[in-house]
Amino acid sequence: MKARFLPRGLGGGRPEEVRIIDLRSDTVTKPTAAMRQAMAEAEVGDDVYGEDPTVNRLEKRAAEIFGKEAALFVPTGTMGNTIAIKLHTTHGQEVICEARSHVFNYELAMMAWFSGCVARPIYAENGILTWEQIRREIRPLGPHAAPTGLIELENTHNMAGGSVYPPEVLREICDNAHEMGLKVHLDGARIFNAAAYLGRSVLEITAPCDTVMFCLSKGLGAPVGSMLVGSAEAIERARLYRKRLGGGMRQAGVLAAAGLIALEEMPSRLSEDHANAAFLADALSKMPGISVPHEVQTNIVVFDIAGTGLTTEEFSARLKARGILINGIGGTRMRLVTHMDVSREDCEKALTALAQVAAGAAVNA
Ligand SMILES: *Cc1c(COP(=O)(O)O)cnc(C)c1O
């Protein structure tokens, strides 16, 4: 983030230049110089006619990398999930998902609005569902219950602290679901983080899922865009739903050009973000009043500040006064996310501020 001056009384006695360290989310990443150059030089056409060569290249590469028949470039992850739920369900069905999932909590009831479905949320402490938990909630059509239409999983799980599905747990869910004629959609907004943690390819860890949505715009650094991958039949229908939702873009190659760099070049650096998150979590867990409830596997650290006696709003404000941005996520929990625009040195600075705030230092101390 660009250097700026903090107002007098916030950053200290006199105004000084402070570099803001933004740990609110990996959505804040800015496109790299290589991405901006590729965007400027991108070959483009009208993608609604299927004539944008750069979008076509991105869709072909995404399908190859995930070992699926086809892929669709969508403006946002929310649109990708929305289309996937529509593809696999009919009105009046239930979608099984984890209680803190993005589809249930952060997409404005989109599954009800667009697909006429309700969520059947199941809580799992680390965000990772098992087949046993899901099996108990599957409903057939009857005189009272709405039937299960789809199982939706989130990998990594955002609000549970970036947790990763063990591949065998995911496979067991998919195999059993398929045996019952149910489809599985994976919200893989951060699937490349899961792959980096597991040291496996995204193809291997998502193979049993029917459709996968992933974001180019978060840890991978593209300015805009997500992908939906699946069978040729599913993606052909998905293209029509994208148009209905207003997501039929024209010379979108300028965005796809950045997306291609995100897809090809950025996954290999994610483990750096994971190391920074582990570094922050380890130090946080030793600070007075702070606990880290989940094992940190990827680039997300959820931590609890109950013991500091501060609200998350107070905690955020005191950090902000020190040039560090971190948000609360409900109750006494806060979430920080590491990404390519945050260095190890930035993490060290963030820890200094976190330690001061945790120790109850006054805003102007
Ligand atoms: C960010 C995110 C999405 C999609 O978000 P958009 O802002 O619509 O791109 C979906 N699922 C999860 C888990 C996410 O973190």
Side-chain angles (χ1 to χ4, degrees), residues 128-131 134 151-155 164-178 184-187 191 194 198 202-209 212:
I128 303 301
L129 295 172
T130 62
W131 170 248
I134 291 171
I151 295 164
E152 191 272 351
L153 307 173
E154 189 170 309
N155 196 17
V164 176
Y165 267 91
E168 62 281 6
V169 172
L170 191 80
R171 177 164 289 281
E172 189 190 6
I173 293 171
C174 292
D175 287 352
N176 282 290
H178 291 155
V184 179
H185 170 64
L186 185 69
D187 176 347
I191 195 63
L198 293 165
V202 289
L203 190 156
E204 281 178 274
I205 65 172
T206 64
C209 302
V212 183

mmCIF file of all heavy atoms in Angstrom, residues 128-131 134 151-155 164-178 184-187 191 194 198 202-209 212:
data_model
loop_
_atom_site.group_PDB
_atom_site.id
_atom_site.type_symbol
_atom_site.label_atom_id
_atom_site.label_comp_id
_atom_site.label_asym_id
_atom_site.label_seq_id
_atom_site.Cartn_x
_atom_site.Cartn_y
_atom_site.Cartn_z
ATOM 1 N N ILE A 128 -13.666 -28.666 8.527
ATOM 2 C CA ILE A 128 -13.498 -29.815 7.627
ATOM 3 C C ILE A 128 -14.571 -30.857 7.943
ATOM 4 O O ILE A 128 -14.542 -31.492 9.006
ATOM 5 C CB ILE A 128 -12.076 -30.429 7.798
ATOM 6 C CG1 ILE A 128 -10.988 -29.363 7.551
ATOM 7 C CG2 ILE A 128 -11.888 -31.640 6.896
ATOM 8 C CD1 ILE A 128 -11.014 -28.711 6.183
ATOM 9 N N LEU A 129 -15.523 -31.032 7.020
ATOM 10 C CA LEU A 129 -16.599 -32.012 7.226
ATOM 11 C C LEU A 129 -16.098 -33.422 6.919
ATOM 12 O O LEU A 129 -15.168 -33.604 6.134
ATOM 13 C CB LEU A 129 -17.780 -31.676 6.309
ATOM 14 C CG LEU A 129 -18.498 -30.352 6.585
ATOM 15 C CD1 LEU A 129 -19.522 -30.054 5.487
ATOM 16 C CD2 LEU A 129 -19.182 -30.371 7.943
ATOM 17 N N THR A 130 -16.756 -34.393 7.534
ATOM 18 C CA THR A 130 -16.460 -35.795 7.208
ATOM 19 C C THR A 130 -17.704 -36.410 6.556
ATOM 20 O O THR A 130 -18.815 -35.861 6.689
ATOM 21 C CB THR A 130 -16.146 -36.611 8.478
ATOM 22 O OG1 THR A 130 -17.316 -36.595 9.319
ATOM 23 C CG2 THR A 130 -14.966 -36.016 9.239
ATOM 24 N N TRP A 131 -17.517 -37.546 5.891
ATOM 25 C CA TRP A 131 -18.667 -38.213 5.278
ATOM 26 C C TRP A 131 -19.687 -38.587 6.351
ATOM 27 O O TRP A 131 -20.894 -38.472 6.142
ATOM 28 C CB TRP A 131 -18.240 -39.442 4.474
ATOM 29 C CG TRP A 131 -19.442 -40.240 4.054
ATOM 30 C CD1 TRP A 131 -19.811 -41.482 4.469
ATOM 31 C CD2 TRP A 131 -20.482 -39.793 3.159
ATOM 32 N NE1 TRP A 131 -21.011 -41.842 3.901
ATOM 33 C CE2 TRP A 131 -21.449 -40.824 3.087
ATOM 34 C CE3 TRP A 131 -20.694 -38.618 2.434
ATOM 35 C CZ2 TRP A 131 -22.596 -40.713 2.306
ATOM 36 C CZ3 TRP A 131 -21.846 -38.521 1.647
ATOM 37 C CH2 TRP A 131 -22.778 -39.559 1.593
ATOM 38 N N ILE A 134 -21.888 -35.688 7.122
ATOM 39 C CA ILE A 134 -22.743 -35.349 5.974
ATOM 40 C C ILE A 134 -23.850 -36.389 5.815
ATOM 41 O O ILE A 134 -25.017 -36.051 5.610
ATOM 42 C CB ILE A 134 -21.883 -35.242 4.685
ATOM 43 C CG1 ILE A 134 -20.974 -34.011 4.781
ATOM 44 C CG2 ILE A 134 -22.765 -35.186 3.443
ATOM 45 C CD1 ILE A 134 -19.930 -33.922 3.681
ATOM 46 N N ILE A 151 -23.777 -31.250 -2.313
ATOM 47 C CA ILE A 151 -22.845 -31.092 -1.187
ATOM 48 C C ILE A 151 -21.795 -30.071 -1.615
ATOM 49 O O ILE A 151 -21.228 -30.176 -2.712
ATOM 50 C CB ILE A 151 -22.195 -32.439 -0.821
ATOM 51 C CG1 ILE A 151 -23.279 -33.394 -0.298
ATOM 52 C CG2 ILE A 151 -21.079 -32.260 0.206
ATOM 53 C CD1 ILE A 151 -22.853 -34.842 -0.257
ATOM 54 N N GLU A 152 -21.588 -29.081 -0.743
ATOM 55 C CA GLU A 152 -20.626 -28.023 -1.064
ATOM 56 C C GLU A 152 -19.540 -28.022 0.007
ATOM 57 O O GLU A 152 -19.832 -28.032 1.208
ATOM 58 C CB GLU A 152 -21.357 -26.673 -1.092
ATOM 59 C CG GLU A 152 -20.553 -25.533 -1.655
ATOM 60 C CD GLU A 152 -19.683 -24.791 -0.638
ATOM 61 O OE1 GLU A 152 -19.808 -25.040 0.584
ATOM 62 O OE2 GLU A 152 -18.874 -23.960 -1.072
ATOM 63 N N LEU A 153 -18.287 -28.041 -0.411
ATOM 64 C CA LEU A 153 -17.150 -28.065 0.511
ATOM 65 C C LEU A 153 -16.244 -26.868 0.231
ATOM 66 O O LEU A 153 -16.206 -26.372 -0.901
ATOM 67 C CB LEU A 153 -16.336 -29.361 0.326
ATOM 68 C CG LEU A 153 -17.121 -30.685 0.398
ATOM 69 C CD1 LEU A 153 -16.205 -31.857 0.028
ATOM 70 C CD2 LEU A 153 -17.732 -30.895 1.780
ATOM 71 N N GLU A 154 -15.519 -26.429 1.255
ATOM 72 C CA GLU A 154 -14.649 -25.246 1.107
ATOM 73 C C GLU A 154 -13.210 -25.622 1.460
ATOM 74 O O GLU A 154 -12.941 -26.080 2.567
ATOM 75 C CB GLU A 154 -15.170 -24.140 2.034
ATOM 76 C CG GLU A 154 -14.501 -22.798 1.838
ATOM 77 C CD GLU A 154 -15.230 -21.696 2.616
ATOM 78 O OE1 GLU A 154 -16.467 -21.565 2.496
ATOM 79 O OE2 GLU A 154 -14.542 -20.965 3.360
ATOM 80 N N ASN A 155 -12.295 -25.436 0.513
ATOM 81 C CA ASN A 155 -10.903 -25.864 0.686
ATOM 82 C C ASN A 155 -9.961 -24.851 0.028
ATOM 83 O O ASN A 155 -10.002 -24.714 -1.181
ATOM 84 C CB ASN A 155 -10.728 -27.239 0.009
ATOM 85 C CG ASN A 155 -9.466 -27.958 0.424
ATOM 86 O OD1 ASN A 155 -8.856 -27.629 1.423
ATOM 87 N ND2 ASN A 155 -9.056 -28.950 -0.362
ATOM 88 N N VAL A 164 -7.211 -27.217 5.675
ATOM 89 C CA VAL A 164 -7.089 -27.970 4.417
ATOM 90 C C VAL A 164 -7.772 -29.333 4.549
ATOM 91 O O VAL A 164 -7.592 -30.022 5.561
ATOM 92 C CB VAL A 164 -5.592 -28.169 4.074
ATOM 93 C CG1 VAL A 164 -5.428 -29.028 2.817
ATOM 94 C CG2 VAL A 164 -4.897 -26.817 3.895
ATOM 95 N N TYR A 165 -8.548 -29.724 3.546
ATOM 96 C CA TYR A 165 -9.128 -31.074 3.520
ATOM 97 C C TYR A 165 -8.044 -32.111 3.288
ATOM 98 O O TYR A 165 -7.342 -32.040 2.275
ATOM 99 C CB TYR A 165 -10.162 -31.214 2.390
ATOM 100 C CG TYR A 165 -11.571 -30.932 2.846
ATOM 101 C CD1 TYR A 165 -12.096 -29.658 2.765
ATOM 102 C CD2 TYR A 165 -12.354 -31.942 3.378
ATOM 103 C CE1 TYR A 165 -13.386 -29.384 3.217
ATOM 104 C CE2 TYR A 165 -13.643 -31.690 3.838
ATOM 105 C CZ TYR A 165 -14.141 -30.406 3.750
ATOM 106 O OH TYR A 165 -15.404 -30.151 4.212
ATOM 107 N N PRO A 166 -7.893 -33.085 4.175
ATOM 108 C CA PRO A 166 -7.030 -34.212 3.843
ATOM 109 C C PRO A 166 -7.616 -34.878 2.588
ATOM 110 O O PRO A 166 -8.824 -35.114 2.532
ATOM 111 C CB PRO A 166 -7.146 -35.132 5.068
ATOM 112 C CG PRO A 166 -7.637 -34.246 6.177
ATOM 113 C CD PRO A 166 -8.495 -33.210 5.506
ATOM 114 N N PRO A 167 -6.789 -35.151 1.563
ATOM 115 C CA PRO A 167 -7.331 -35.667 0.297
ATOM 116 C C PRO A 167 -8.209 -36.905 0.467
ATOM 117 O O PRO A 167 -9.215 -37.061 -0.224
ATOM 118 C CB PRO A 167 -6.077 -35.981 -0.517
ATOM 119 C CG PRO A 167 -5.044 -35.051 0.024
ATOM 120 C CD PRO A 167 -5.346 -34.895 1.484
ATOM 121 N N GLU A 168 -7.876 -37.770 1.444
ATOM 122 C CA GLU A 168 -8.674 -38.997 1.590
ATOM 123 C C GLU A 168 -10.058 -38.696 2.183
ATOM 124 O O GLU A 168 -11.033 -39.399 1.877
ATOM 125 C CB GLU A 168 -7.919 -40.064 2.401
ATOM 126 C CG GLU A 168 -7.556 -39.707 3.838
ATOM 127 C CD GLU A 168 -6.316 -38.808 3.975
ATOM 128 O OE1 GLU A 168 -5.764 -38.339 2.950
ATOM 129 O OE2 GLU A 168 -5.899 -38.579 5.129
ATOM 130 N N VAL A 169 -10.159 -37.636 2.987
ATOM 131 C CA VAL A 169 -11.463 -37.246 3.547
ATOM 132 C C VAL A 169 -12.365 -36.708 2.430
ATOM 133 O O VAL A 169 -13.553 -37.042 2.325
ATOM 134 C CB VAL A 169 -11.281 -36.188 4.667
ATOM 135 C CG1 VAL A 169 -12.624 -35.630 5.131
ATOM 136 C CG2 VAL A 169 -10.513 -36.784 5.840
ATOM 137 N N LEU A 170 -11.767 -35.883 1.568
ATOM 138 C CA LEU A 170 -12.497 -35.318 0.426
ATOM 139 C C LEU A 170 -12.961 -36.433 -0.514
ATOM 140 O O LEU A 170 -14.103 -36.447 -0.980
ATOM 141 C CB LEU A 170 -11.579 -34.341 -0.310
ATOM 142 C CG LEU A 170 -12.227 -33.460 -1.359
ATOM 143 C CD1 LEU A 170 -12.916 -32.284 -0.692
ATOM 144 C CD2 LEU A 170 -11.196 -32.940 -2.341
ATOM 145 N N ARG A 171 -12.068 -37.388 -0.761
ATOM 146 C CA ARG A 171 -12.413 -38.468 -1.684
ATOM 147 C C ARG A 171 -13.538 -39.333 -1.112
ATOM 148 O O ARG A 171 -14.455 -39.722 -1.833
ATOM 149 C CB ARG A 171 -11.177 -39.329 -2.023
ATOM 150 C CG ARG A 171 -11.517 -40.501 -2.928
ATOM 151 C CD ARG A 171 -10.322 -41.140 -3.583
ATOM 152 N NE ARG A 171 -9.701 -40.335 -4.620
ATOM 153 C CZ ARG A 171 -10.177 -40.220 -5.857
ATOM 154 N NH1 ARG A 171 -11.290 -40.821 -6.221
ATOM 155 N NH2 ARG A 171 -9.534 -39.496 -6.755
ATOM 156 N N GLU A 172 -13.471 -39.598 0.181
ATOM 157 C CA GLU A 172 -14.513 -40.429 0.794
ATOM 158 C C GLU A 172 -15.886 -39.758 0.664
ATOM 159 O O GLU A 172 -16.892 -40.412 0.354
ATOM 160 C CB GLU A 172 -14.188 -40.679 2.280
ATOM 161 C CG GLU A 172 -15.111 -41.717 2.905
ATOM 162 C CD GLU A 172 -14.984 -41.831 4.413
ATOM 163 O OE1 GLU A 172 -14.256 -41.029 5.037
ATOM 164 O OE2 GLU A 172 -15.638 -42.728 4.979
ATOM 165 N N ILE A 173 -15.917 -38.428 0.871
ATOM 166 C CA ILE A 173 -17.177 -37.688 0.734
ATOM 167 C C ILE A 173 -17.684 -37.797 -0.708
ATOM 168 O O ILE A 173 -18.852 -38.122 -0.953
ATOM 169 C CB ILE A 173 -16.995 -36.202 1.133
ATOM 170 C CG1 ILE A 173 -16.700 -36.077 2.631
ATOM 171 C CG2 ILE A 173 -18.234 -35.385 0.748
ATOM 172 C CD1 ILE A 173 -16.284 -34.679 3.080
ATOM 173 N N CYS A 174 -16.796 -37.536 -1.663
ATOM 174 C CA CYS A 174 -17.215 -37.525 -3.077
ATOM 175 C C CYS A 174 -17.664 -38.914 -3.530
ATOM 176 O O CYS A 174 -18.702 -39.054 -4.186
ATOM 177 C CB CYS A 174 -16.074 -37.021 -3.968
ATOM 178 S SG CYS A 174 -15.700 -35.282 -3.702
ATOM 179 N N ASP A 175 -16.904 -39.945 -3.178
ATOM 180 C CA ASP A 175 -17.254 -41.302 -3.621
ATOM 181 C C ASP A 175 -18.618 -41.711 -3.084
ATOM 182 O O ASP A 175 -19.454 -42.251 -3.818
ATOM 183 C CB ASP A 175 -16.191 -42.317 -3.160
ATOM 184 C CG ASP A 175 -14.886 -42.180 -3.969
ATOM 185 O OD1 ASP A 175 -14.887 -41.419 -4.970
ATOM 186 O OD2 ASP A 175 -13.887 -42.808 -3.579
ATOM 187 N N ASN A 176 -18.852 -41.442 -1.809
ATOM 188 C CA ASN A 176 -20.137 -41.817 -1.209
ATOM 189 C C ASN A 176 -21.284 -40.972 -1.775
ATOM 190 O O ASN A 176 -22.382 -41.485 -1.997
ATOM 191 C CB ASN A 176 -20.073 -41.686 0.313
ATOM 192 C CG ASN A 176 -19.344 -42.852 0.945
ATOM 193 O OD1 ASN A 176 -19.834 -43.972 0.969
ATOM 194 N ND2 ASN A 176 -18.137 -42.604 1.423
ATOM 195 N N ALA A 177 -21.022 -39.670 -1.975
ATOM 196 C CA ALA A 177 -22.051 -38.798 -2.548
ATOM 197 C C ALA A 177 -22.432 -39.293 -3.948
ATOM 198 O O ALA A 177 -23.618 -39.416 -4.277
ATOM 199 C CB ALA A 177 -21.550 -37.357 -2.613
ATOM 200 N N HIS A 178 -21.424 -39.600 -4.737
ATOM 201 C CA HIS A 178 -21.685 -40.042 -6.116
ATOM 202 C C HIS A 178 -22.481 -41.345 -6.129
ATOM 203 O O HIS A 178 -23.356 -41.543 -6.970
ATOM 204 C CB HIS A 178 -20.365 -40.196 -6.879
ATOM 205 C CG HIS A 178 -19.691 -38.881 -7.143
ATOM 206 N ND1 HIS A 178 -18.333 -38.757 -7.343
ATOM 207 C CD2 HIS A 178 -20.205 -37.626 -7.224
ATOM 208 C CE1 HIS A 178 -18.037 -37.478 -7.532
ATOM 209 N NE2 HIS A 178 -19.157 -36.773 -7.466
ATOM 210 N N VAL A 184 -20.846 -32.988 -5.969
ATOM 211 C CA VAL A 184 -20.055 -32.229 -4.984
ATOM 212 C C VAL A 184 -19.410 -31.036 -5.690
ATOM 213 O O VAL A 184 -18.690 -31.213 -6.680
ATOM 214 C CB VAL A 184 -18.962 -33.107 -4.335
ATOM 215 C CG1 VAL A 184 -18.140 -32.289 -3.337
ATOM 216 C CG2 VAL A 184 -19.586 -34.325 -3.649
ATOM 217 N N HIS A 185 -19.697 -29.842 -5.170
ATOM 218 C CA HIS A 185 -19.024 -28.634 -5.665
ATOM 219 C C HIS A 185 -17.994 -28.189 -4.633
ATOM 220 O O HIS A 185 -18.293 -28.136 -3.435
ATOM 221 C CB HIS A 185 -20.023 -27.493 -5.898
ATOM 222 C CG HIS A 185 -19.347 -26.176 -6.177
ATOM 223 N ND1 HIS A 185 -18.568 -25.974 -7.296
ATOM 224 C CD2 HIS A 185 -19.289 -25.015 -5.460
ATOM 225 C CE1 HIS A 185 -18.074 -24.732 -7.263
ATOM 226 N NE2 HIS A 185 -18.495 -24.137 -6.158
ATOM 227 N N LEU A 186 -16.807 -27.868 -5.121
ATOM 228 C CA LEU A 186 -15.755 -27.397 -4.225
ATOM 229 C C LEU A 186 -15.560 -25.896 -4.387
ATOM 230 O O LEU A 186 -15.258 -25.421 -5.489
ATOM 231 C CB LEU A 186 -14.438 -28.120 -4.547
ATOM 232 C CG LEU A 186 -13.282 -27.802 -3.591
ATOM 233 C CD1 LEU A 186 -13.545 -28.380 -2.209
ATOM 234 C CD2 LEU A 186 -11.971 -28.344 -4.136
ATOM 235 N N ASP A 187 -15.750 -25.162 -3.284
ATOM 236 C CA ASP A 187 -15.354 -23.756 -3.245
ATOM 237 C C ASP A 187 -13.867 -23.769 -2.934
ATOM 238 O O ASP A 187 -13.447 -23.845 -1.787
ATOM 239 C CB ASP A 187 -16.155 -23.011 -2.167
ATOM 240 C CG ASP A 187 -15.715 -21.554 -2.027
ATOM 241 O OD1 ASP A 187 -14.645 -21.196 -2.568
ATOM 242 O OD2 ASP A 187 -16.446 -20.786 -1.376
ATOM 243 N N ILE A 191 -7.658 -22.906 -3.356
ATOM 244 C CA ILE A 191 -7.246 -24.303 -3.542
ATOM 245 C C ILE A 191 -5.731 -24.427 -3.783
ATOM 246 O O ILE A 191 -5.123 -25.436 -3.416
ATOM 247 C CB ILE A 191 -8.047 -24.972 -4.694
ATOM 248 C CG1 ILE A 191 -7.892 -26.490 -4.641
ATOM 249 C CG2 ILE A 191 -7.654 -24.455 -6.062
ATOM 250 C CD1 ILE A 191 -8.438 -27.155 -3.404
ATOM 251 N N ALA A 194 -4.127 -24.834 -0.543
ATOM 252 C CA ALA A 194 -4.275 -26.209 -0.043
ATOM 253 C C ALA A 194 -3.242 -27.119 -0.709
ATOM 254 O O ALA A 194 -2.589 -27.941 -0.044
ATOM 255 C CB ALA A 194 -5.690 -26.718 -0.313
ATOM 256 N N LEU A 198 -0.222 -29.292 1.038
ATOM 257 C CA LEU A 198 -0.163 -30.751 0.924
ATOM 258 C C LEU A 198 1.031 -31.218 0.087
ATOM 259 O O LEU A 198 1.384 -32.401 0.107
ATOM 260 C CB LEU A 198 -1.454 -31.281 0.293
ATOM 261 C CG LEU A 198 -2.728 -31.113 1.132
ATOM 262 C CD1 LEU A 198 -3.969 -31.333 0.270
ATOM 263 C CD2 LEU A 198 -2.717 -32.060 2.329
ATOM 264 N N VAL A 202 -3.110 -29.435 -7.704
ATOM 265 C CA VAL A 202 -4.541 -29.163 -7.560
ATOM 266 C C VAL A 202 -5.355 -30.239 -8.270
ATOM 267 O O VAL A 202 -6.474 -30.563 -7.844
ATOM 268 C CB VAL A 202 -4.948 -27.747 -8.067
ATOM 269 C CG1 VAL A 202 -4.425 -26.667 -7.138
ATOM 270 C CG2 VAL A 202 -4.520 -27.508 -9.495
ATOM 271 N N LEU A 203 -4.803 -30.793 -9.345
ATOM 272 C CA LEU A 203 -5.515 -31.869 -10.059
ATOM 273 C C LEU A 203 -5.754 -33.059 -9.125
ATOM 274 O O LEU A 203 -6.871 -33.557 -8.998
ATOM 275 C CB LEU A 203 -4.710 -32.298 -11.290
ATOM 276 C CG LEU A 203 -5.385 -33.243 -12.291
ATOM 277 C CD1 LEU A 203 -4.751 -33.113 -13.664
ATOM 278 C CD2 LEU A 203 -5.351 -34.700 -11.838
ATOM 279 N N GLU A 204 -4.689 -33.477 -8.448
ATOM 280 C CA GLU A 204 -4.816 -34.627 -7.536
ATOM 281 C C GLU A 204 -5.835 -34.373 -6.442
ATOM 282 O O GLU A 204 -6.636 -35.249 -6.115
ATOM 283 C CB GLU A 204 -3.469 -34.894 -6.840
ATOM 284 C CG GLU A 204 -2.432 -35.619 -7.630
ATOM 285 C CD GLU A 204 -1.167 -35.731 -6.774
ATOM 286 O OE1 GLU A 204 -0.350 -34.775 -6.793
ATOM 287 O OE2 GLU A 204 -1.023 -36.740 -6.072
ATOM 288 N N ILE A 205 -5.785 -33.181 -5.845
ATOM 289 C CA ILE A 205 -6.611 -32.976 -4.651
ATOM 290 C C ILE A 205 -8.050 -32.563 -4.956
ATOM 291 O O ILE A 205 -8.870 -32.518 -4.056
ATOM 292 C CB ILE A 205 -5.966 -31.973 -3.648
ATOM 293 C CG1 ILE A 205 -5.865 -30.561 -4.219
ATOM 294 C CG2 ILE A 205 -4.585 -32.475 -3.218
ATOM 295 C CD1 ILE A 205 -5.425 -29.521 -3.186
ATOM 296 N N THR A 206 -8.353 -32.270 -6.238
ATOM 297 C CA THR A 206 -9.735 -31.910 -6.571
ATOM 298 C C THR A 206 -10.386 -32.901 -7.526
ATOM 299 O O THR A 206 -11.560 -32.734 -7.879
ATOM 300 C CB THR A 206 -9.827 -30.508 -7.216
ATOM 301 O OG1 THR A 206 -9.134 -30.535 -8.475
ATOM 302 C CG2 THR A 206 -9.220 -29.436 -6.329
ATOM 303 N N ALA A 207 -9.649 -33.919 -7.944
ATOM 304 C CA ALA A 207 -10.147 -34.847 -8.972
ATOM 305 C C ALA A 207 -11.544 -35.400 -8.681
ATOM 306 O O ALA A 207 -12.372 -35.482 -9.594
ATOM 307 C CB ALA A 207 -9.141 -35.983 -9.179
ATOM 308 N N PRO A 208 -11.867 -35.796 -7.441
ATOM 309 C CA PRO A 208 -13.198 -36.395 -7.231
ATOM 310 C C PRO A 208 -14.353 -35.405 -7.245
ATOM 311 O O PRO A 208 -15.504 -35.832 -7.262
ATOM 312 C CB PRO A 208 -13.086 -37.056 -5.849
ATOM 313 C CG PRO A 208 -11.837 -36.593 -5.237
ATOM 314 C CD PRO A 208 -11.041 -35.837 -6.224
ATOM 315 N N CYS A 209 -14.080 -34.080 -7.245
ATOM 316 C CA CYS A 209 -15.162 -33.088 -7.205
ATOM 317 C C CYS A 209 -15.745 -32.875 -8.603
ATOM 318 O O CYS A 209 -15.014 -32.885 -9.596
ATOM 319 C CB CYS A 209 -14.651 -31.760 -6.667
ATOM 320 S SG CYS A 209 -13.955 -31.924 -5.016
ATOM 321 N N VAL A 212 -15.226 -27.212 -9.576
ATOM 322 C CA VAL A 212 -14.345 -26.494 -8.656
ATOM 323 C C VAL A 212 -14.334 -25.026 -9.062
ATOM 324 O O VAL A 212 -14.176 -24.709 -10.241
ATOM 325 C CB VAL A 212 -12.885 -27.012 -8.708
ATOM 326 C CG1 VAL A 212 -12.017 -26.290 -7.674
ATOM 327 C CG2 VAL A 212 -12.814 -28.518 -8.524
#
